[in-house]
Amino acid sequence: MQVRAFTFAALFAASPAWAINKCTNANGKTVFQDAPCSGHSEQIEVRPATGNAPAAAASQAAAAPTRPKPDSSSELRRIELEQYLVRNKRDQVNGNLQDCQNKLDQLAQRKRTANNNLAGAVLESSISSEMQSVSVMCESKNRQLRAELEDLERELRDIKAKR
């Protein structure tokens, strides 16, 4: 049993390690990267969880073409815009439209249940006013979200044009 533990410890100590740099940028944000940092940095040694790197993964990594790393803040911003911000804003616009439609459908259903008497007429009028209010609020929110989406898309187009 002790021989196995000793063998495992020896293999773990002899396994390959990778250097990761912990960098702090001018804004105080901490990032981890494999390239050395330009400002304040700390090097961290990382070992595989099993103690040995799998041979198949190592050969695949060597055979796979490496993508160029983003080298500027504008490239990082382009990636952030394409992969996250524009998609999320589109989802917000669509979600707002769906929420508004659901609210209006609920109010229309309530309006259809109004009785054909004076109380029903008052309720129907009240619901109609509420529907107008919801429509105005939804349209305002939709305009705001669309303007934000257009700003993000414009920024993305500008960054792509400069490439």
Side-chain angles (χ1 to χ4, degrees):
M1 183 71 168
Q2 289 180 344
V3 173
R4 282 187 185 172
F6 178 77
T7 304
F8 179 72
L11 285 174
F12 185 72
S15 66
W18 296 276
I20 300 293
N21 295 290
K22 180 179 176 183
C23 308
T24 306
N25 65 14
N27 299 334
K29 183 177 178 184
T30 301
V31 294
F32 296 90
Q33 61 189 34
D34 57 354
C37 308
S38 60
H40 176 72
S41 68
E42 174 184 339
Q43 192 171 26
I44 301 170
E45 189 174 295
V46 179
R47 294 183 180 273
T50 62
N52 292 317
S59 64
Q60 286 176 354
T66 57
R67 284 190 281 173
K69 294 181 179 154
D71 57 350
S72 69
S73 60
S74 66
E75 183 67 12
L76 291 172
R77 180 65 177 170
R78 181 191 64 79
I79 292 168
E80 180 183 37
L81 285 165
E82 282 181 342
Q83 295 181 358
Y84 179 72
L85 296 175
V86 172
R87 287 181 185 173
N88 277 359
K89 194 55 72 176
R90 283 185 184 138
D91 289 344
Q92 286 179 359
V93 168
N94 292 333
N96 181 59
L97 289 173
Q98 188 63 44
D99 289 345
C100 290
Q101 189 60 50
N102 290 342
K103 288 177 187 175
L104 291 172
D105 289 345
Q106 289 173 353
L107 289 170
Q109 181 63 32
R110 278 184 53 210
K111 189 175 176 181
R112 283 192 290 272
T113 62
N115 293 330
N116 191 13
N117 57 23
L118 181 59
V122 170
L123 178 62
E124 188 176 338
S125 175
S126 172
I127 292 173
S128 293
S129 296
E130 190 175 349
M131 289 175 81
Q132 283 182 314
S133 169
V134 166
S135 293
V136 168
M137 288 185 341
C138 286
E139 184 58 34
S140 174
K141 179 71 173 178
N142 196 35
R143 262 185 270 135
Q144 175 194 355
L145 290 172
R146 285 188 186 274
E148 291 170 2
L149 176 61
E150 288 172 8
D151 289 344
L152 292 172
E153 289 173 334
R154 185 178 313 112
E155 181 181 358
L156 180 58
R157 279 192 309 271
D158 291 347
I159 290 172
K160 285 181 174 182
K162 291 177 184 177
R163 289 175 71 194

